[in-house]
Amino acid sequence: MRKAMQAAVRETIEEYADTALLLIDIGAFPMRELLKKYPQRVKNIGIFEPGTIGVAAGLSLTGITPIVYGISPFIVQRSLEQLKLDFVYQNIGGNFITTGAAYDFSALGYSHYCPEDVATLRLLPGMEILTPGTPAQFDALFKACRFDGRPSYFRMTDHCNQTQVDVEFGRAAVLKRGSRATVIAVAEQLDATLEACAEADVTVLYYTTLAPFDAETLRREYTGGAVFVSAPLYAGSLFADIAAALDGEPVRLGGAEIPLEVLRTYGKKADKDAALGLDAKGIAERLGAFLAKA
Amino acid sequence: MTERARALRKTILRMAHAGRDANLQSVFSSVEILRVLYDRILRFSPEAPADRDRFVLSKGQSTMGLLAILAEKGFIPEEELWTACGYDSRISMQADRTKLPFVEISAGSLGHGFPMAAGMALGNRIAGRPGRVFVLAGDGEMNEGTMWETALFAGSEALQRLTLIVDDNGSINEMLRMGDLEEKLSAFGFEAETVNGHDEDALYAAISRVGSAGPRAVIAKTVRGYGCRTLVEDRSWFHRAPTDEELTALLEEVDAYE
């Protein structure tokens, strides 16, 4: 996905003179030619995320579309007030691309994890939250949002799905239809979710735009009085949107998500997935237990 | 005090009285700075052309002063000032740029305007526009980390058309020891100078100058509540609006201030 990001960003910078790229050191090496070619508007700015978001807002206010690239917790949380006040309050657009996802940097510890990004950013009105699961999905979502005048958060992952799905901004994709529950799969958890659902009589929706939340598709595809969320996010991150989408319909909620805990293990991402029950086996067990309760 | 500065202070008092809320001491210390910018320096019009000079109020507490001067310049109908802080009003203690398009940023939280101003200066440079960017910060605001992140950035980028004005009204003297702001900002790559922040000619000379190789910083030494004896002497006026009787007394004090 990083390569797709680099290509999409490079194309944006080269084609549009009114764009700028601010790198927070990470990702500077693959962009070295761009840094050299456009020194005025492609900058490895230094390591100060809040100030960088503020500078990006100033660019946006002068008509230059900013793209900021950094590690998710340092954009989402260290700079949360800048996203809120410098972009949302000013009512201007910008693009924030992050790496790290929930715990892609598994060996680096809790400081580098961000399973709370979606729950945090969904409280910023107008903030777009994009969670592509493949390089092509990153490209499609980035190109749909880069100039739309709103702040857009692109959550990248280094653990892409093998399943290819054409996605559209703001729309969930229907991958399978069944009757006992609607399963919402998010980002890099799609492959494992599909495997877990192979024998289950459920509908599977794949969400790559989490804000604005596609309520229409969920309402239409809602089945079995139950929604099961399979997502690399802190548990419950989407429950409020789901409840709101169903607009008063009773719903049983469950999922295979990350428990709200300080994650103190290291190892590889796959080790955490297995331990937290977010691999295909774990998701299948949770889903089985969830369906059995009906 | 010039008569125009005196008139602006009186308008601000009336806004505070009408809106029943204000940071009068903090607004009054910056009146001469606003006067000089809007009377003598900024190339600015209601149409807000892209190549205009931009004034960014980082120190949001001076909003009433900014809006009063914009009304005087014809951007806002004067009677609208007296709706300050009303439910549907465009006028408040912290401006919202979506309601007043000729206000460059929505302010309120300290430490945000300066980074945005630096981004504007960079944006103007990228777009090849001549506009200068002036940003007004408070000395208390200079405690915020983003201010020094931006100082590093602006110095490193040599943003020549960026001017930081610090309304140094002694707010932080009671908190931490800030040292010499001129020296500190010089060390970050600014061409810095310190002036009397209530002397309009001195302010004009310092603020109008463009940096020869880097950004400019003007440390304006000011007095909280300047222009009104009670506001200078009585600390309770940091966040308070005058009653009917107090308004009359404070207006008289502004008239009597030397």
Side-chain angles (χ1 to χ4, degrees), chain A residues 17 20 40-41 43 45 48 50-51 54-55 57-59 61-62 64 81-82 85-86 89-92, chain B residues 54 95-98 104-107 109 112 115-116 119-120 122-126 129 146 149 153 157:
Chain A
Q40 292 290 0
R41 55 194 184 93
K43 292 185 183 294
I45 192 169
F48 54 100
V55 166
L59 289 173
L61 286 163
T62 50
I64 308 291
E81 195 187 68
Q82 276 68 30
L85 297 184
D86 302 355
Y89 193 26
Q90 312 296 330
N91 194 29
I92 55 177
Chain B
R54 294 170 191 256
D96 179 339
R97 71 178 283 276
T98 66
E104 299 287 353
I105 66 156
S106 307
S109 179
H112 288 262
M116 286 194 266
M120 289 175 184
L122 181 65
N124 279 343
R125 180 196 275 175
I126 291 171
R129 297 188 200 115
T146 49
E149 293 179 6
F153 171 74
E157 286 291 326

Side-chain angles (χ1 to χ4, degrees), chain A residues 23-75:
Chain A
L23 302 167
I24 304 170
D25 202 32
I26 186 159
F29 186 71
M31 296 289 191
R32 60 194 179 280
E33 278 170 27
L34 217 53
L35 281 158
K36 211 179 282 174
K37 198 165 165 195
Y38 303 99
Q40 292 290 0
R41 55 194 184 93
V42 178
K43 292 185 183 294
N44 186 9
I45 192 169
I47 305 169
F48 54 100
E49 289 84 355
T52 298
I53 303 290
V55 166
L59 289 173
S60 186
L61 286 163
T62 50
I64 308 291
T65 298
I67 304 168
V68 180
Y69 177 48
I71 299 178
S72 44
F74 311 133
I75 299 288

Side-chain angles (χ1 to χ4, degrees), chain B residues 16-253:
Chain B
H17 173 256
R20 299 198 182 118
D21 205 352
N23 297 115
L24 286 169
Q25 292 184 315
S26 187
V27 190
F28 272 33
S29 67
S30 60
V31 163
E32 277 74 21
I33 297 166
L34 293 170
R35 281 253 69 106
V36 164
L37 280 166
Y38 279 88
D39 287 348
R40 299 168 71 175
I41 295 177
L42 291 173
R43 293 177 308 105
F44 196 78
S45 69
E47 296 77 34
D51 65 352
R52 69 188 179 276
D53 291 335
R54 294 170 191 256
F55 171 63
V56 173
L57 187 59
S58 197
K59 175 202 156 157
Q61 303 101 313
S62 291
T63 294
M64 281 189 169
L66 171 64
L67 300 187
I69 214 164
L70 287 171
E72 188 197 287
K73 300 286 178 193
F75 290 75
I76 303 169
E78 198 203 38
E79 58 274 17
E80 205 178 324
L81 295 181
W82 321 132
T83 69
C85 306
Y87 181 73
D88 282 331
S89 182
R90 297 194 299 168
I91 309 300
S92 78
M93 290 166 68
Q94 306 279 1
D96 179 339
R97 71 178 283 276
T98 66
K99 296 184 179 181
L100 300 163
F102 35 79
V103 167
E104 299 287 353
I105 66 156
S106 307
S109 179
L110 298 178
H112 288 262
F114 187 29
M116 286 194 266
M120 289 175 184
L122 181 65
N124 279 343
R125 180 196 275 175
I126 291 171
R129 297 188 200 115
R132 294 181 65 187
V133 182
F134 302 89
V135 52
L136 178 60
D139 60 323
E141 185 176 16
M142 294 306 292
N143 290 178
E144 297 280 1
T146 49
M147 302 302 275
W148 298 100
E149 293 179 6
T150 304
L152 270 175
F153 171 74
S156 166
E157 286 291 326
L159 294 174
Q160 251 179 292
R161 303 191 74 74
L162 175 68
T163 298
L164 168 68
I165 305 158
V166 182
D167 176 2
D168 186 5
N169 64 16
S171 296
I172 49 174
N173 293 345
E174 301 133 33
M175 299 179 254
L176 48 75
R177 280 191 298 279
M178 196 77 180
D180 186 327
L181 271 175
E182 182 182 322
E183 213 173 88
K184 281 192 162 65
L185 286 162
S186 299
F188 278 74
F190 281 69
E191 293 175 18
E193 74 179 281
T194 303
V195 298
N196 175 350
H198 298 300
D199 177 339
E200 293 190 21
D201 290 332
L203 283 168
Y204 174 74
I207 298 172
S208 58
R209 199 169 297 145
V210 182
S212 57
R216 292 267 306 158
V218 177
I219 318 302
K221 289 287 185 190
T222 59
V223 175
R224 276 210 253 188
Y226 185 89
C228 180
R229 193 177 50 81
T230 297
L231 296 187
V232 172
E233 291 172 2
D234 183 350
R235 294 296 315 281
S236 75
W237 282 91
F238 172 67
H239 185 173
R240 178 175 154 194
T243 62
D244 295 354
E245 297 87 59
E246 284 169 338
L247 176 65
T248 309
L250 294 179
L251 287 170
E252 280 170 12
E253 285 187 29

Side-chain angles (χ1 to χ4, degrees), chain A residues 100-294:
Chain A
Y103 42 66
D104 278 8
F105 297 120
S106 188
L108 296 185
Y110 184 60
S111 63
H112 282 61
Y113 305 163
C114 205
E116 60 272 66
D117 56 352
V118 172
T120 304
L121 294 178
R122 63 173 290 282
L123 293 180
L124 299 183
M127 172 67 75
E128 294 168 340
I129 304 175
L130 298 316
T131 55
T134 66
Q137 289 164 9
F138 176 91
D139 190 69
L141 295 168
F142 181 73
K143 285 175 181 164
C145 297
R146 60 186 169 177
F147 298 128
D148 68 5
R150 285 183 291 275
S152 310
Y153 171 69
F154 301 91
R155 172 198 183 276
M156 292 206 304
T157 174
D158 290 331
H159 300 269
C160 293
N161 295 310
Q162 297 306 309
T163 313
Q164 301 297 318
V165 179
D166 285 338
V167 301
E168 193 188 328
F169 168 70
R171 278 278 163 261
V174 185
L175 301 190
K176 174 180 155 94
R177 285 200 171 92
S179 67
R180 296 190 62 198
T182 301
V183 174
I184 289 179
V186 172
E188 67 270 23
Q189 214 155 293
L190 178 65
D191 282 352
T193 306
L194 285 176
E195 194 182 329
C197 293
E199 306 297 322
D201 177 20
V202 294
T203 290
V204 177
L205 306 180
Y206 178 49
Y207 274 74
T208 50
T209 302
L210 298 185
F213 189 80
D214 177 10
E216 196 187 315
T217 301
L218 178 60
R219 253 197 314 273
R220 194 185 62 228
E221 302 295 334
Y222 180 48
T223 185
V227 174
F228 182 90
V229 179
S230 180
L233 308 171
Y234 266 152
S237 294
L238 298 177
F239 283 3
D241 286 312
I242 292 166
L246 295 177
D247 194 25
E249 288 257 355
V251 57
R252 223 158 51 76
L253 289 168
E257 299 179 278
I258 300 167
L260 185 60
E261 286 169 11
V262 178
L263 303 171
R264 296 189 190 275
T265 59
Y266 303 113
K268 292 194 163 37
K269 177 184 178 291
D271 300 330
K272 276 191 176 53
D273 287 348
L276 298 172
L278 303 184
D279 57 0
K281 180 170 162 281
I283 297 168
E285 280 169 15
R286 299 265 190 100
L287 180 63
F290 178 74
L291 294 176
K293 274 191 195 159

